[in-house]
Amino acid sequence: RVTKEVDAASKEAKSFMKQQEKTQSGAPASLPTVSGVKRPSGMSSLLGKITSKKQKMSTLEKSKLDWENFKEEEGIGEELAIHNRGKDGYIERKAFLERVDHRQFEIERDIRLSRMKP
């Protein structure tokens, strides 16, 4: 069993709450008696809980969970965040490539516009 704390306003928390509502609303209601009073369906609800399918974890979710646990155990979360923000980080490289692509587009656009004017 995995325990994870998330912000109540996050997407993950909202999806979890929706899933909990579906499982609660999908549970079989107890059967009414002849007098109209509901009686607890002890054995059938117990069997329903036992035979209910467990939610499968995808490979991607499992890998993410393993990576988060590894970062927590090794205490490298801050170090990774600092490195990714640095000159050699992935995010910085993507931003650089976007800036270069935008400049190249502007240069090509200016050339096209200058050719169009008679």
Side-chain angles (χ1 to χ4, degrees):
R1 177 159 235 190
V2 178
T3 305
K4 185 176 181 181
E5 291 185 19
V6 295
D7 186 38
S10 69
K11 286 184 180 179
E12 189 173 356
K14 290 177 183 176
S15 67
F16 178 77
M17 294 303 289
K18 286 181 183 178
Q19 189 177 45
Q20 291 297 323
E21 290 174 2
K22 286 180 183 178
T23 57
Q24 289 176 355
S25 66
S30 58
L31 300 172
T33 60
V34 176
S35 63
V37 178
K38 292 186 177 182
R39 63 179 179 176
S41 57
M43 190 58 124
S44 64
S45 67
L46 183 62
L47 286 175
K49 289 179 183 178
I50 293 173
T51 59
S52 65
K53 291 185 178 180
K54 292 182 180 178
Q55 185 177 8
K56 293 183 180 180
M57 183 180 289
S58 71
T59 305
L60 185 62
E61 291 169 340
K62 175 68 172 144
S63 296
K64 183 178 178 182
L65 181 65
D66 289 344
W67 175 243
E68 292 298 326
N69 287 337
F70 177 77
K71 286 194 307 187
E72 187 177 311
E73 289 172 4
E74 298 294 321
I76 60 173
E78 286 185 34
E79 185 179 337
L80 286 171
I82 291 168
H83 178 72
N84 283 337
R85 278 188 241 125
K87 186 176 180 180
D88 297 328
Y90 174 78
I91 295 170
E92 184 61 36
R93 282 185 271 154
K94 290 294 280 184
F96 170 76
L97 290 173
E98 283 182 24
R99 288 192 308 268
V100 169
D101 188 39
H102 186 70
R103 278 193 205 129
Q104 185 66 28
F105 170 76
E106 288 177 346
I107 291 169
E108 291 171 357
R109 184 194 63 198
D110 291 342
I111 291 172
R112 284 193 308 270
L113 289 175
S114 68
R115 289 181 182 169
M116 289 178 64
K117 294 180 182 178

